[in-house]
Amino acid sequence: MRNSRISIFTLAFAAYVVKTISYEPELGSARVVFQTSYGDIEFGFYPTVAPVTVDHIFKLVRLGGYNTNHFFRVDKGFVAQVADVPNGRSAPMNEEQNKVAYKTILGEFSDVKHVRGILSMGRHDDPNSGGSSFSMLLGDAPHLDGKYAVFGKVTKGDETLRKLEEVPTRREGIFVMPTERITILSTYYYDTKMESCEEERSVLKRRLEASFLEVERQRMKCFP
């Protein structure tokens, strides 16, 4: 009986550890690329984890809201944080950008861990004050788990993040900030499913062309 209890406890503990360590939400098919003055950073979203946050940030991207914005905070081994759109852009906003950029959203907190590459919403003390500022994690930060909304992760461009970590910084209160502006020059997005379809169409086209050539070869052989 005692051994049975130990076995049940061991299995339960092992299951908890596996869940804690290996929980990796599925990325959606959308990808966003920030073209910065230090290189490109590509990221994807977790729509099943933070659907409202993903919709909000992706809408801002589609509107060009992050163009001419910048990383106002770079704390090596911790975060590279994108400024909020209304205060971070160097270009004026149009009416639609302005409407979305000033919107705040509900905090969508989850069990996803804050590890390097994760995207996490910025906010004030109010848990429902997230707007358009967010961080790219430069290291593991378990103290943020469950307190800030994780909504995606970096999929390409870790070398760019490493370049950002080497930029000279200064401290202002709790923030470590770059001494020079790290500009998001432009942004674009694409869908990985569409790329897959293009590849499949290309393969099908080659197969059809090969089939046509084979039919034509047989026709010439049998019906000269």
Side-chain angles (χ1 to χ4, degrees), residues 29-80:
S29 60
R31 295 290 182 273
V32 172
V33 178
F34 279 5
Q35 297 181 298
T36 80
S37 47
Y38 281 81
D40 292 357
I41 304 169
E42 179 191 284
F43 56 87
F45 297 113
Y46 291 144
T48 59
V49 173
V52 175
T53 306
V54 169
D55 285 347
H56 176 64
I57 296 297
F58 195 28
K59 185 172 185 178
L60 268 173
V61 169
R62 296 196 303 273
L63 290 172
Y66 288 98
N67 294 348
T68 75
N69 200 354
H70 69 117
F71 287 85
F72 83 94
R73 179 185 189 186
V74 178
D75 197 337
K76 187 174 183 178
F78 182 36
V79 296

Side-chain angles (χ1 to χ4, degrees), residues 8-22:
I8 292 171
F9 173 80
T10 302
L11 288 172
F13 180 74
Y16 170 78
V17 170
V18 168
K19 181 180 178 182
T20 302
I21 295 174
S22 65

Side-chain angles (χ1 to χ4, degrees), residues 16-219:
Y16 170 78
V17 170
V18 168
K19 181 180 178 182
T20 302
I21 295 174
S22 65
Y23 177 48
E24 175 73 25
E26 184 176 355
L27 280 171
S29 60
R31 295 290 182 273
V32 172
V33 178
F34 279 5
Q35 297 181 298
T36 80
S37 47
Y38 281 81
D40 292 357
I41 304 169
E42 179 191 284
F43 56 87
F45 297 113
Y46 291 144
T48 59
V49 173
V52 175
T53 306
V54 169
D55 285 347
H56 176 64
I57 296 297
F58 195 28
K59 185 172 185 178
L60 268 173
V61 169
R62 296 196 303 273
L63 290 172
Y66 288 98
N67 294 348
T68 75
N69 200 354
H70 69 117
F71 287 85
F72 83 94
R73 179 185 189 186
V74 178
D75 197 337
K76 187 174 183 178
F78 182 36
V79 296
Q81 188 168 355
V82 178
D84 65 287
V85 170
N87 296 307
R89 282 170 57 101
S90 59
M93 291 190 291
N94 60 38
E95 185 177 347
E96 191 172 9
Q97 289 171 333
N98 204 61
K99 182 179 178 181
V100 179
Y102 278 100
K103 182 180 178 181
T104 56
I105 56 175
L106 294 175
E108 296 179 292
F109 310 118
S110 68
D111 294 331
V112 183
K113 303 301 178 185
H114 282 75
V115 296
R116 186 179 179 88
I118 281 293
L119 307 183
S120 180
M121 282 296 287
R123 63 172 177 82
H124 300 295
D125 290 337
D126 181 350
N128 300 319
S129 60
S132 54
S133 176
F134 65 90
S135 296
M136 299 181 182
L137 272 289
L138 301 175
D140 297 351
H143 63 287
L144 302 181
D145 293 346
K147 299 176 183 177
Y148 291 82
V150 170
F151 66 94
K153 75 171 185 178
V154 173
T155 50
K156 293 179 184 177
D158 189 65
E159 65 280 4
T160 300
L161 293 182
R162 294 190 185 282
K163 288 179 184 177
L164 299 190
E165 290 186 277
E166 299 307 316
V167 171
T169 58
R170 68 182 188 280
R171 180 173 287 276
E172 289 192 14
I174 64 170
F175 296 122
V176 177
M177 308 170 76
T179 56
E180 59 184 75
R181 185 179 175 89
I182 302 173
T183 303
I184 300 170
L185 303 169
S186 62
T187 63
Y188 67 90
Y189 59 93
Y190 68 96
D191 195 307
T192 55
K193 284 184 179 178
M194 292 301 293
E195 284 203 339
S196 177
C197 288
E198 287 295 330
E199 184 177 341
E200 289 175 8
R201 278 196 288 268
S202 178
V203 170
L204 180 58
K205 183 180 178 181
R206 289 198 299 270
R207 287 177 178 173
L208 288 172
E209 288 173 348
S211 297
F212 173 78
L213 291 173
E214 179 61 21
V215 169
E216 186 66 11
R217 189 180 69 81
Q218 289 294 334
R219 188 187 69 78

